[in-house]
Amino acid sequence: QVQLVESGGGLVQPGGSLRLSCAASGFTFSRYWMYWVRQAPGKGLECISYINTIGGDIYYADSVKGRFTISRDNAKNTLYLQMNSLKSEDTAVYYCKGRMVIGGALNEYWGQGTQVTVSS
């Protein structure tokens, strides 16, 4: 059974930090590109970061560049997102996603999300 389980969300003051984790099971994590996607209240999905299978190709949206750091530990089947200098506009549900194209077919898995609230 494929599972992606996010953790580490919560309430934090502006300027604070959080570290999100995404534990993967039921598929070959090391073969999948991994993504962090968020959805702020009343808004659509925003892909804020991704990392390739070995960490050599990393992307950040302008909205988080310089503040967030994505990483992965293939030995632990875990994806991370270190979030620093948090702002109120970072308030959202954060999802991790795994994506791989196999024989022309897209395999994509999503976690259930973790809430991050930035507020004083």
Side-chain angles (χ1 to χ4, degrees), residues 8 11-20 67 82-86:
L11 174 64
V12 63
Q13 293 186 341
S17 298
L18 283 175
R19 189 193 196 202
L20 304 184
R67 300 187 298 121
Q82 178 67 43
M83 305 188 296
N84 298 329
S85 303
L86 283 161

Side-chain angles (χ1 to χ4, degrees), residues 11-14 87-88 91 117-120:
L11 174 64
V12 63
Q13 293 186 341
K87 307 174 182 179
S88 58
T91 294
T117 303
V118 185
S119 174
S120 55

Side-chain angles (χ1 to χ4, degrees), residues 19-114:
R19 189 193 196 202
L20 304 184
S21 298
C22 172
S25 61
F27 66 100
T28 308
F29 176 78
S30 61
R31 297 180 66 188
Y32 280 68
W33 287 51
M34 296 300 298
Y35 300 71
W36 286 103
V37 179
R38 69 184 181 186
Q39 186 167 30
K43 296 190 177 180
L45 294 172
E46 178 190 15
C47 177
I48 58 171
S49 185
Y50 65 68
I51 185 169
N52 75 343
T53 57
I54 58 173
D57 187 356
I58 289 176
Y59 161 84
Y60 297 104
D62 287 343
S63 57
V64 305
K65 196 175 295 181
R67 300 187 298 121
F68 291 10
T69 303
I70 191 171
S71 62
R72 65 190 297 163
D73 186 336
N74 287 341
K76 295 183 178 180
N77 290 345
T78 304
L79 176 73
Y80 303 100
L81 186 67
Q82 178 67 43
M83 305 188 296
N84 298 329
S85 303
L86 283 161
K87 307 174 182 179
S88 58
E89 50 263 46
D90 294 318
T91 294
V93 178
Y94 285 72
Y95 301 91
C96 66
K97 181 180 81 170
R99 190 175 190 274
M100 179 180 178
V101 176
I102 304 173
L106 175 64
N107 280 26
E108 196 168 272
Y109 306 122
W110 288 77
Q112 83 290 346
T114 186

